Amino acid sequence: MARNPYANTQMQNFWKETVEKEAAARLQTFAKMKGLERNKPRQLEVFRKKIEDNKPSDTLLEKLPAISSDVKFNRKKGDLNRISSATLANSSVLDSPEMIAPSPTVRKLLYDGFTKEGKGRYIYLRQRYHTIPEEKFAFPTCSSWEYGWRLGEVIKKEDIKKPKFGRTKIVEDTFYTRNGIVTDCK
C-alpha cells in the first residue's frame, strides 16, 4: 500500500497554519466592517420600481366605479355548535357514515390504560386493524377496494384448497367472466 504524502507532520502543520490564517483574516474583516453599514439587497427596490411603472393611469382609475363601504352581509353570528333540525333532516352524511362504529367491547379498549403501556389506544387500533374492511365500512371508500369487496360472498372459504405447488386462481375464478373459452392449454 502506498503512503499518503499528506499524512506527514510537515503537511499537517501546513494545513493547520492555512486554516488559522484564514480564520484570522475573517476576524480582521469582521472587526473592520463592524461599525460600517453593510450593502443591503436592492431587489425590493427593483420590485417597488416595477410596481410603480406598471401602475394604471389616472384616467383609467377615474373610469372605475367607486369602492363602497356598505356592509353587504349583515348577519348575526350564530352558534356554530348548534345544528338545526332541517340540517339534520337533509344531511346524508349523518344518515350514512363512512365508517361503521366499533362494537362497545372494542370501544372500551380505547379508554383502558395508556398507549405507552401497550394498552388503551394501542390495543384499540391494533384490534381495528385486524378487522376486515367489509366489517368497518358500509361501502368501499376507494376504487381499489371494489375488486375484493365482499369476496366471501362470491367464493366460499371451504372452496379454496391449498394447491399442490403454492399457486391459487382466486382472481381468475372471481374476476374474469366465464364465456366458454377453455383457458387451460395442456
Side-chain angles (χ1 to χ4, degrees):
M1 232 179 168
R3 279 188 57 174
N4 188 355
Y6 301 106
N8 61 17
T9 310
Q10 185 179 9
M11 286 303 290
Q12 288 178 353
N13 288 337
F14 167 75
W15 286 114
K16 181 180 170 186
E17 287 176 16
T18 306
V19 170
E20 288 174 356
K21 281 183 184 177
E22 189 174 331
R26 286 185 183 193
L27 283 173
Q28 278 182 337
T29 307
F30 177 74
K32 187 169 67 173
M33 302 293 285
K34 190 173 182 182
L36 300 176
E37 184 176 331
R38 292 187 175 85
N39 292 339
K40 294 182 182 175
R42 296 188 56 222
Q43 192 168 5
L44 292 176
E45 293 175 22
V46 173
F47 287 147
R48 188 176 299 114
K49 181 131 175 89
K50 282 185 180 180
I51 290 170
E52 288 173 0
D53 290 345
N54 294 328
K55 188 174 84 170
S57 64
D58 292 333
T59 56
L60 181 64
L61 290 175
E62 289 174 2
K63 292 179 184 177
L64 293 174
I67 298 172
S68 62
S69 62
D70 298 339
V71 179
K72 293 182 181 179
F73 304 103
N74 196 9
R75 294 183 183 170
K76 293 181 179 178
K77 290 184 180 178
D79 185 15
L80 297 176
N81 294 329
R82 197 186 79 213
I83 301 173
S84 65
S85 59
T87 308
L88 286 174
N90 295 333
S91 174
S92 63
V93 175
L94 294 176
D95 294 341
S96 60
E98 190 173 298
M99 185 178 257
I100 299 170
S103 65
T105 55
V106 174
R107 189 177 292 202
K108 262 187 180 176
L109 294 173
L110 187 60
Y111 304 107
D112 182 37
F114 298 102
T115 304
K116 193 172 185 181
E117 299 170 352
K119 298 180 181 178
R121 183 170 173 256
Y122 177 80
I123 290 183
Y124 168 79
L125 291 174
R126 179 76 48 191
Q127 192 71 26
R128 288 293 278 181
Y129 174 76
H130 290 299
T131 308
I132 60 173
E134 287 93 359
E135 294 176 8
K136 288 192 282 189
F137 296 91
F139 52 89
T141 56
C142 55
S143 61
S144 63
W145 285 9
E146 293 174 7
Y147 296 110
W149 196 256
R150 305 278 184 220
L151 188 62
E153 296 172 4
V154 176
I155 188 166
K156 303 292 181 222
K157 206 169 192 178
E158 299 85 36
D159 295 341
I160 301 173
K161 299 174 190 132
K162 186 173 180 184
K164 185 176 179 182
F165 299 107
R167 296 184 180 203
T168 59
K169 301 189 304 180
I170 292 175
V171 174
E172 185 179 329
D173 293 343
T174 58
F175 181 70
Y176 295 112
T177 58
R178 280 107 181 123
N179 53 7
I181 299 174
V182 178
T183 58
D184 289 332
C185 299
K186 293 182 183 180

